[in-house]
Amino acid sequence: MTGRYSDQDVEHYDRPRRRTRPRTKERPVYDDAEDAVVVTVDRGRFTLLLDDRTVMAMKARPLGRKGVVVGDRVRVVGDTSGRDGSLARIVEVSPRTTVLRRSAEDDADAVERVIVANADQLVVVTALADPEPQPRLIDRALVAAYDAGLQPLLCLTKSDLADPDTLLSTYRSLGVPWLVTHKGGDLTELRGRLRGRTSVLLGSSGVGKSTLVNALVPDADRDVGHVNAVTGRGRHTSTSAYLLELPHDPGEERAWIVDTPGIRSFGLAHVQPEQLIEAFPDLDEMTEDCPRGCTHGEDEPECGLDEAVRTGQADPDRVESFRRLLAARSEPLY
Ligand code: ZN
């Protein structure tokens, strides 16, 4: 029997028996499927965490072109043993609570892709010095966070080299939470912020993100390519997003981080002003009388935000910062 035929046999075997189990909304099609979460994606192969074991899987044919991304909760059938060479099949993707997206950088038509599903927080890792902070990159990351409905957190590294005040003054009026850290420093506060959540870590090279990930998940060894403690197998590098669980004491809330490759690839062309301003309900309220199609930018002739600043209802710094984020959507990256 050729591989092709046996593939089809497996397909047949797993296909729901239509006569006995009609496809209805009330009844799951795959009663025997198991729940898992997507840890990473590599060339059409998915690494899943199922209970405490790592399972490799592919998409089942009925999913078609439907995307499956890191953080997705999925249902799998087939060989879920996790043994070497085993391959399970993803038959369902659960509805996502959040989606972190990016657009293709060079495409004004905003071909967007979901990078991470079901995260709650976006941790923007930035060095206070060496390399110098890049506020434009931070702004873009914040836009991505607000658009996705993720809580942003500024994690300022190398606090032994520079004071955070100057940088923070840029973000104070937006109310972005922040913390400082340095190599070998105490990570209690950061761990506290990660507890009970799934947090995406973003940061460009040299800011100390890998150091941070390795300190948070000591067995991860993201960069050196050792066998991973969570997945128990394989070399992996920082080229694709990767879900890792922080070690936790019994009874302690679990914490997950998604380590991502470079921040520079974050195209934002898909982000609409209406979505962005929803992250700032106080400002959103002041745009009710804006003319149709108002983008709330500083060049808009009759934007309610200007009126709100004039009448003292809105903090001018906050409006200005919001507009800086708005403009950051369409700025070139370099
Ligand atoms: Zn407006």
Side-chain angles (χ1 to χ4, degrees):
M1 194 181 272
T2 67
R4 187 180 178 84
Y5 276 114
S6 59
D7 274 358
Q8 284 178 346
D9 285 347
V10 170
E11 191 73 27
H12 252 117
Y13 178 78
D14 284 332
R15 196 163 279 163
R17 285 154 284 177
R18 291 187 193 281
R19 257 169 261 152
T20 52
R21 292 179 188 171
R23 182 188 278 266
T24 67
K25 275 185 180 151
E26 292 73 34
R27 173 177 270 174
V29 176
Y30 293 95
D31 287 345
D32 53 348
E34 296 173 87
D35 295 316
V37 60
V38 178
V39 168
T40 194
V41 182
D42 182 23
R43 281 161 293 181
R45 289 290 158 100
F46 302 86
T47 305
L48 313 178
L49 196 61
L50 195 162
D51 295 331
D52 278 326
R53 66 186 186 274
T54 302
V55 173
M56 298 301 289
M58 57 183 283
K59 274 199 296 185
R61 230 164 283 171
L63 284 183
R65 292 173 62 86
K66 188 178 172 65
V68 178
V69 301
V70 173
D72 262 329
R73 271 127 211 171
V74 296
R75 309 219 341 123
V76 286
V77 298
D79 188 347
T80 59
S81 67
R83 280 190 295 267
D84 256 5
S86 66
L87 192 62
R89 288 146 27 78
I90 299 171
V91 291
E92 274 179 46
V93 181
S94 302
R96 296 163 174 163
T97 56
T98 63
V99 285
L100 181 62
R101 297 184 165 93
R102 58 161 236 197
S103 310
E105 266 166 60
D106 49 359
D107 191 347
D109 289 338
V111 176
E112 58 179 83
R113 292 193 352 168
V114 174
I115 327 173
V116 180
N118 303 316
D120 326 284
Q121 183 166 248
L122 186 75
V123 182
V124 186
V125 185
T126 303
L128 286 163
D130 189 28
E132 288 299 307
Q134 297 185 69
R136 282 174 57 202
L137 289 185
I138 301 173
D139 286 350
R140 294 180 65 84
L142 292 179
V143 171
Y146 290 129
D147 174 60
L150 307 187
Q151 167 84 49
L153 172 66
L154 290 181
C155 179
L156 308 173
T157 62
K158 308 194 187 183
S159 62
D160 49 334
L161 300 183
D163 191 282
D165 284 357
T166 313
L167 184 66
L168 285 172
S169 65
T170 313
Y171 298 100
R172 202 159 279 136
S173 65
L174 290 173
V176 183
W178 57 274
L179 54 83
V180 295
T181 174
H182 59 89
K183 194 168 185 175
D186 182 14
L187 293 176
T188 308
E189 188 181 358
L190 178 57
R191 284 200 184 91
R193 296 266 193 179
L194 300 175
R195 283 282 156 240
R197 293 173 154 178
T198 298
S199 305
V200 179
L201 266 63
L202 270 188
S204 26
S205 64
V207 300
K209 179 165 67 73
S210 300
T211 306
L212 213 52
V213 169
N214 288 329
L216 290 168
V217 191
D219 297 323
D221 279 337
R222 285 283 280 146
D223 283 340
V224 290
H226 287 168
V227 169
N228 179 274
V230 174
T231 69
R233 76 165 85 195
R235 179 195 159 88
H236 56 79
T237 57
S238 300
T239 53
S240 55
Y242 210 101
L243 181 74
L244 296 160
E245 186 181 12
L246 268 61
H248 63 103
D249 296 328
E252 203 174 27
E253 273 190 299
R254 299 174 80 169
W256 298 84
I257 55 172
V258 178
D259 191 10
T260 60
I263 197 172
R264 286 187 183 278
S265 59
F266 247 87
L268 297 169
H270 61 278
V271 179
Q272 299 303 312
E274 287 311 318
Q275 294 165 292
L276 189 59
I277 203 165
E278 276 175 20
F280 306 91
D282 58 317
L283 298 182
D284 195 15
E285 207 174 280
M286 294 162 189
T287 62
E288 274 172 12
D289 296 328
C290 280
R292 231 179 129 87
C294 181
T295 62
H296 319 308
E298 59 185 6
D299 296 331
E300 291 287 351
E302 293 172 72
C303 183
L305 293 180
D306 292 311
E307 177 67 14
V309 168
R310 260 196 304 274
T311 58
Q313 282 176 286
D315 169 12
D317 284 348
R318 188 165 163 84
V319 169
E320 196 185 318
S321 295
F322 166 72
R323 285 177 163 167
R324 195 186 67 235
L325 295 188
L326 199 61
R329 289 178 311 145
S330 46
E331 276 168 8
L333 280 172
Y334 298 96

